[in-house]
Amino acid sequence: MYLWDLAASDYGNAFYAAAAQAGSQSWSAWFFGSLDARNFITVDKPPASLWVTGLSVRLFGMNSWSVLVPQAVMGVTAVAVLFAAVRRVVSHPDQGAVAGLIAGAVLAGTPAAALMFRFNNPDALLVLLLVVAAYGLARAVQVASWPWLTLVGVVLGTAFLTKMLQGFLVLPGFGLAYLTAAPTAWRNRLLHLTGALAALVVSAGWWVLAVQLTPATARPYIGGSTDNSVLNLAFGYNGLGRLEGHESDWGAATVGARNTSTGLHRLFTTEMGNEISWLLPVALLAVAFGGYLAARGRLGRDEWAALLSWGGWLLVTVLVFSYMQGTIHPYYTVALAPAIGALVGLSTLWAWRLRAGWDGRIAMAVLLGVGGWWSSVLLRHNHFGPVWLPTALLLITLTGALSVAVGRRWWMATGLIAGASAAAAGTVAFTVATVATPHHGAIPNAVSLLRPAPGLAERVAAGGWTGDEATNGQLAKMLTTTTTPWSAATNGSQSAAALELATRTSVMAIGGWSGDPTPTLAQFIDDVHAGRVAYYVEAGRGGAAQPQGRVIRSENHSASHSREIADWVAAHYPAITVGTSLVYRLE
């Protein structure tokens, strides 16, 4: 499913695709995560995911499959590792296999997962690393193994190099699980956790240290930072700025991405609800049910640790995503999918195991009923499928819940299978529709249910306005014939990425992705006079030639230095219009 018709999405996110191309052309650009092979500026995230796609492009050439197939492989691997992690915590092998299969199926059938496992944002690798860390934690808890716990630290450090602080949202649950459940003395548990934390710092910090020790003149500018440092990027634009809503204070120029409507309802409404919330209410109930069982002493040590680790993962991430005031995109919610899958699988097993008692039957009935009810709500709200489908699925799940509550064995088994199938039908159908939808741009959504304003998808990108850079054959030919280090400079990373993919050349992204303070006017003038840049392309609505020689520029320029550069170029070089772009020859 994840491999089906991948080429329909072309390069997916052109921003990261261009960086992967750059990494395939230059090992230095690959190491730093640069947008261009000449190392002008990095992307706004650390480079771990680009290391994977960059190697793939280097091995198989620049095409949509070499960019997107690694993400699909990560998705399949994440599902397999989740199955293994859930199966391991259940003492009975057959029961563990059933719980693991349910968990894996839920992850595979979540729209956000199908979206990100077929798209080249860093989230696919992030999810895989977090699931691998959860598996390592399960192994560590079983025998109080410090090597396995150290591995967890190494993997989570790598998650930091994938998407920075988002990779640490699982830490509270993981730490609490080992601290309370590992079969060894408290002193040993604390020592083991300290060692794992040290491993995390080393695995997360080696690249940061390498970048910081490299002179600024010998490496690219760190995109998204205000002072050309990784720490500023991690704790500013990709850290506190996201939580507090002050990314602009850290150099970010947010474009229509911030959601100021904070609260627990956020994950259940609009696009976020469509991508992740189908079985989220069931997972939240599973945490409560697991707490009830733990209080009554009905969970073994390994299952108790699993409840803490997966429940902590779910609750902390839900709270952060619900109340963060900065930029948040719906696809971020894929980080919740493994925890939802694990908790749905485990709670189903727990309820079935206790089916002889009233509490097990009530738990099964409630889980089924809530899952079917919320699925029908989402289907009806989105007008997805036949008009009778939401009602039919709700009736089936309620009938299944009633059959489970009655308590007769044959009725219970039939009701559970029918009710669970109906409750899962919505998320599966939406996932299939997500797979059938091509995805492009910086902020993909699962299924296109609404028609955008004419031309909006082509014009709007996080970072500015773009025009026909990706399809302008005349412009591409001009840039391809250049011999300078940078074939062109342009306003913003989005336009630069489109030109790089069209020409296979390096393009200087003035202002980067988020209005970064690079280059200064003096630096740009030096590069032009030294013959390092052939053209300046004022992309999209950035400018238009006027009869009097004036230039009208968009108000969407995100930094004053970008305007200064555009003014200097316009004052010193003649312009021609190529497609929708204003082009200046700087040689």
Side-chain angles (χ1 to χ4, degrees), residues 31-394:
F31 177 79
F32 289 112
S34 297
L35 179 65
D36 62 289
R38 300 295 299 190
N39 280 320
F40 173 71
I41 194 170
T42 70
V43 299
D44 63 341
K45 297 290 186 295
S49 66
L50 294 175
W51 291 341
V52 178
T53 51
L55 288 176
S56 176
V57 172
R58 184 177 285 268
L59 289 172
F60 303 110
M62 188 63 188
N63 56 75
S64 60
W65 277 69
S66 64
V67 171
L68 299 180
V69 165
Q71 326 307 320
V73 173
M74 292 174 198
V76 174
T77 307
V79 171
V81 175
L82 178 60
F83 163 77
V86 173
R87 179 181 60 175
R88 175 161 287 276
V89 303
V90 180
S91 58
H92 192 288
D94 292 339
Q95 294 180 358
V98 171
L101 285 171
I102 294 173
V106 170
L107 172 58
T110 299
L115 173 63
M116 284 293 101
F117 292 151
R118 293 168 50 85
F119 201 75
N120 56 320
N121 279 18
D123 300 75
L125 180 59
L126 175 68
V127 169
L128 173 59
L129 291 170
L130 295 182
V131 175
V132 170
Y135 174 81
L137 179 69
R139 296 290 298 264
V141 167
Q142 286 184 322
V143 292
S145 169
W146 68 264
W148 275 105
L149 194 65
T150 301
L151 176 64
V152 173
V154 171
V155 173
L156 290 180
T158 308
F160 175 85
L161 295 182
T162 303
K163 214 173 177 190
M164 293 195 155
L165 295 185
Q166 187 179 340
F168 292 166
L169 294 181
V170 302
L171 282 176
F174 283 18
L176 186 61
Y178 193 84
L179 193 63
T180 61
T184 187
W186 278 91
R187 177 178 176 274
N188 292 337
R189 298 178 202 176
L190 291 173
L191 287 175
H192 293 174
L193 285 170
T194 301
L197 181 61
L200 183 153
V201 171
V202 171
S203 62
W206 71 269
W207 181 82
V208 176
L209 183 62
V211 173
Q212 294 300 107
L213 292 179
T214 303
T217 55
R219 61 168 173 80
Y221 185 91
I222 304 302
S225 70
T226 58
D227 61 359
N228 199 12
S229 75
V230 179
L231 292 179
N232 179 269
L233 174 66
F235 295 101
Y237 172 54
N238 283 326
L240 296 179
R242 298 280 176 141
L243 293 176
E244 299 173 353
H246 299 147
E247 295 102 315
S248 59
D249 297 340
W250 303 89
T254 58
V255 180
R258 178 173 295 146
N259 185 348
T260 57
S261 179
T262 60
L264 293 176
H265 66 280
R266 175 189 275 180
L267 295 178
F268 297 91
T269 57
T270 61
E271 181 62 22
M272 284 192 177
N274 291 341
E275 293 189 15
I276 197 61
S277 76
W278 298 86
L279 294 176
L280 179 55
V282 178
L284 293 172
L285 287 173
V287 175
F289 181 48
Y292 161 79
L293 295 178
R296 301 198 63 181
R298 295 186 176 182
L299 292 184
R301 179 170 47 83
D302 291 342
E303 292 181 7
W304 163 245
L307 174 65
L308 289 177
S309 60
W310 294 111
W313 176 337
L314 180 77
L315 295 178
V316 172
T317 307
V318 162
L319 289 175
V320 170
F321 285 176
S322 296
Y323 290 100
M324 61 185 289
Q325 299 181 38
T327 301
I328 181 171
H329 303 306
Y331 65 80
Y332 289 4
T333 59
V334 69
L336 288 165
I340 292 173
L343 289 165
V344 169
L346 288 171
S347 63
T348 302
L349 171 64
W350 294 336
W352 179 257
R353 202 161 56 189
L354 299 174
R355 62 189 180 278
W358 62 268
D359 47 0
R361 294 196 300 273
I362 289 178
M364 272 193 287
V366 171
L367 293 172
L368 287 175
V370 169
W373 163 74
W374 185 245
S375 179
S376 69
V377 169
L378 288 177
L379 290 172
R380 184 175 293 106
H381 176 74
N382 286 291
H383 305 287
F384 187 82
V387 294
W388 50 263
L389 183 62
T391 302
L393 293 180
L394 180 59

